[in-house]
Amino acid sequence: MALFGTDGVRGLANGPLTADLALTLAQATAVVLGQGRIASARKAAGKRLTAVVARDPRVSGEFLTAAVAAGLASSGVDVLDAGVIPTPAAAFLIADIDADFGVMISASHNPAPDNGIKIFARGGVKLPDVVEERIEQAMSGEKLLPTGGGVGRIRRFSDAEDRYAIHLLSTLPHRLEGLHVVLDCAHGAASGVSPETFRDAGAKVTLIGADPDGININDGVGSTHLDRLAAEVIRTGADVGIAHDGDADRCLAVDADGNVVDGDQIMAILAVSMKERGVLRSDTLVATVMSNLGLHRAMADHGIAVETTAVGDRYVLERMNEGRFSLGGEQSGHVIMSRYATTGDGVLTGLHLVAEMARTGKSLAELASVMTVFPQSLVNVRGVERSRATDPDVQDAVARATASLGLSGRVLLRPSGTEPMIRVMVEAGTADEAQRIADELAEVVRG
C-alpha cells in the first residue's frame, strides 16, 4: 500500500506514523529533493540545503518535528524550525526565504491522535505523485549521512509568524474597519496569527477555539463543527463568522443569521469581485466535480468560465498552474488565490471575504445570494470495489436518473481513492428528491 495519500503521509501517531518513519522519510526527502538543478548547484558551491519545518499544535507534532529535523540535519540540511504555524504559512515561508523545500507536520481536520507529514518543494508547492513515489522508494536506499562540518544545523525561525502576517495584510484590497468578526481557530495552527491579522486589518474580533492544549484540536470546533460558531455570531451580534480547520488551509463562514456559507459560495463571491476588479485571470474559476451545480449557474450568469478537476486541492492547483488561473478551490473550503499563495489558505480567504463585505458595504448574506445552492445528497456505499461504478447496470441507472433530473440537477458517482467505497452524489431541485434518487442509486451500486 502506498505511503503517500492524497495530501502527504497521514495516520495515527505512534501507530503507523512513528518517529522512526518520520526520520527515515526526512532522510529520503533530502536525497530526492537534493538532486534538482538548483539544489545540486548549491551543494557544488559548498553550501548546505535549507528546509523550513513547521507543525500544528497537536502534542505528537513535538516528537515528529524533532524526528524530521533530525533526519534532515543528519542528511546535511539546515533546518529552520518555524514552530506552530498554518500549513499555508509554511508554504509561503519556503518561497519567501528561497528554501530548498519544507515539511509541515499536521493532520489538518483529523482528530488529535492522528498526525501527518506534508512535504513542499522549492517555491512552497506540493509534490507531484512521481516525486512522492521517488521519496518512498528512497526510504529503503542509501542515506546521505555527512560528517563534521557537513552536518546540518537546526535553528529557530524566529520571525516566521510575523513574516506571514505582514504578507497577508499586504494582499488586502480593503481594510476591515467597522466589521465584527467571530473567528473559530479550531484550537489549531491559526490560533495565534489569524486573530492578530484580522485585528491588524481593522476588524473587531471575538474568538472561540483559540486555546490549543495539544489534544483539543478540531474537538467540536473549527470548519467541521460550525454550530458553535453560528451560535456565537448570533449571541454577539457579529457581522460574520470565519472558521478554520486544524492547519488553517480551509475557510468556511457563517452569516449574521448563523447560516453556513460554504467553499462554493465563498469562491462565487470572490470570483465575481475579482472579475469586477479586473484581477480574475481569463475570467475563469477552477473547481472540482463536487462543486454545486449552483456555482456553475452563477458563474455562467456573470460571464465566468468554470474549469473542473478531480477532487483534491492538488488537482485544482495543477489546473490553475497549467492555465495560469488566479482562483480555484473546493466546496470544503480549500480556496487557492494563486496571486498570493501556492496552496489553500484559510486565513487569506477569510480576510478577502470580509474585505469584500467592507468594500461593497453588503452583508455576507447579500453577497452569498449571488449563488443559489442546489440541494445535495451524498451516500457512501461501502464494501464495493471501484469497478462497480462502471458496471452496465449502474451506468444505466445513472443515465435514467440524469435524464429525469434534466437541467435541474445532476448525478455523480465517485470511487474512493483510499478504501472500497463508492460515493453517490445527487443534486436536485429539492432535498427530498436528491435524497430519494441518491438512495435508489446506492441500492443499485450495492447490487
Side-chain angles (χ1 to χ4, degrees), residues 66-80:
V68 167
L72 294 176
S74 72
S75 302
V77 178
D78 285 343
V79 175
L80 286 173

Side-chain angles (χ1 to χ4, degrees), residues 2 29 34 42 63 135 167 172 190 192 194 263-264 279-280 287 292 320 355 360 375 383 436 445:
T29 299
R42 287 186 178 179
F63 77 77
I135 291 174
H167 160 68
L172 282 180
S194 187
D264 284 343
V279 294
L280 184 66
N292 194 274
M320 290 177 68
T360 61
R436 176 181 60 78
V445 171

Side-chain angles (χ1 to χ4, degrees), residues 8 15-16 81 147 149 156 178 207 222 234 271 276 326 380 404 408 422 429 446:
D81 184 351
T147 58
R156 181 81 175 95
L207 287 179
I234 293 171
E276 287 178 357
S326 53
N380 292 325
S404 71
S408 64
I422 293 177
R446 291 187 185 100

Side-chain angles (χ1 to χ4, degrees), residues 269-312:
I269 293 167
L270 295 180
V272 171
S273 171
M274 290 170 67
K275 184 184 179 187
E276 287 178 357
R277 293 181 286 119
V279 294
L280 184 66
R281 291 183 198 151
S282 302
D283 289 342
T284 297
L285 170 69
V286 181
T288 77
V289 292
M290 291 299 289
S291 279
N292 194 274
L293 180 60
L295 176 63
H296 293 262
R297 297 281 180 87
M299 295 300 92
D301 290 344
H302 286 82
I304 297 171
V306 179
E307 295 271 341
T308 304
T309 75
V311 174

Side-chain angles (χ1 to χ4, degrees), residues 145-369:
L145 302 179
T147 58
V151 172
R153 275 70 165 184
I154 302 173
R155 302 191 303 274
R156 181 81 175 95
F157 197 155
S158 58
D159 63 341
E161 190 171 287
D162 289 341
R163 281 176 179 257
Y164 176 57
I166 290 169
H167 160 68
L168 291 172
L169 291 168
S170 74
T171 72
L172 282 180
H174 200 288
R175 287 185 56 81
L176 314 183
E177 274 86 4
L179 290 172
H180 181 185
V181 182
V182 178
L183 288 180
D184 183 348
C185 298
H187 296 309
S191 296
V193 70
S194 187
E196 168 194 338
T197 309
F198 270 88
R199 289 187 181 114
D200 286 347
K204 175 184 175 181
V205 175
T206 296
L207 287 179
I208 62 173
D211 297 300
D213 61 9
I215 58 174
N216 62 356
I217 189 169
N218 301 315
D219 186 7
V221 289
S223 60
T224 54
H225 304 277
L226 294 172
D227 290 351
R228 186 178 169 196
L229 176 63
E232 188 67 9
V233 167
I234 293 171
R235 186 189 72 80
T236 60
D239 299 292
V240 58
I242 299 292
H244 305 309
D245 61 338
D247 70 336
D249 62 356
R250 296 188 190 191
C251 170
L252 294 179
V254 299
D255 66 22
D257 295 321
N259 299 307
V260 173
V261 176
D262 69 11
D264 284 343
Q265 293 166 289
I266 292 171
M267 287 192 291
I269 293 167
L270 295 180
V272 171
S273 171
M274 290 170 67
K275 184 184 179 187
E276 287 178 357
R277 293 181 286 119
V279 294
L280 184 66
R281 291 183 198 151
S282 302
D283 289 342
T284 297
L285 170 69
V286 181
T288 77
V289 292
M290 291 299 289
S291 279
N292 194 274
L293 180 60
L295 176 63
H296 293 262
R297 297 281 180 87
M299 295 300 92
D301 290 344
H302 286 82
I304 297 171
V306 179
E307 295 271 341
T308 304
T309 75
V311 174
D313 62 330
R314 66 190 302 171
Y315 303 114
V316 172
L317 186 58
E318 284 177 8
R319 183 68 194 104
M320 290 177 68
N321 289 337
E322 290 168 358
R324 300 182 62 81
F325 302 127
S326 53
L327 182 66
E330 298 186 280
Q331 189 181 68
S332 60
H334 286 116
V335 177
I336 303 168
M337 306 179 75
S338 64
R339 182 178 178 185
Y340 310 117
T342 60
T343 187
D345 189 329
V347 184
L348 177 74
T349 302
L351 286 165
H352 278 255
L353 181 64
V354 180
E356 182 63 6
M357 295 172 63
R359 185 183 76 88
T360 61
K362 294 181 178 179
S363 69
L364 182 56
E366 289 177 288
L367 292 174
S369 67

Side-chain angles (χ1 to χ4, degrees), residues 28-41 43 49 100-101 144:
T29 299
V31 170
V32 173
L33 297 187
Q35 295 174 348
R37 179 179 57 84
I38 296 175
S40 297
K43 289 194 289 187
L49 302 186
D100 294 283
F101 58 92
L144 295 176

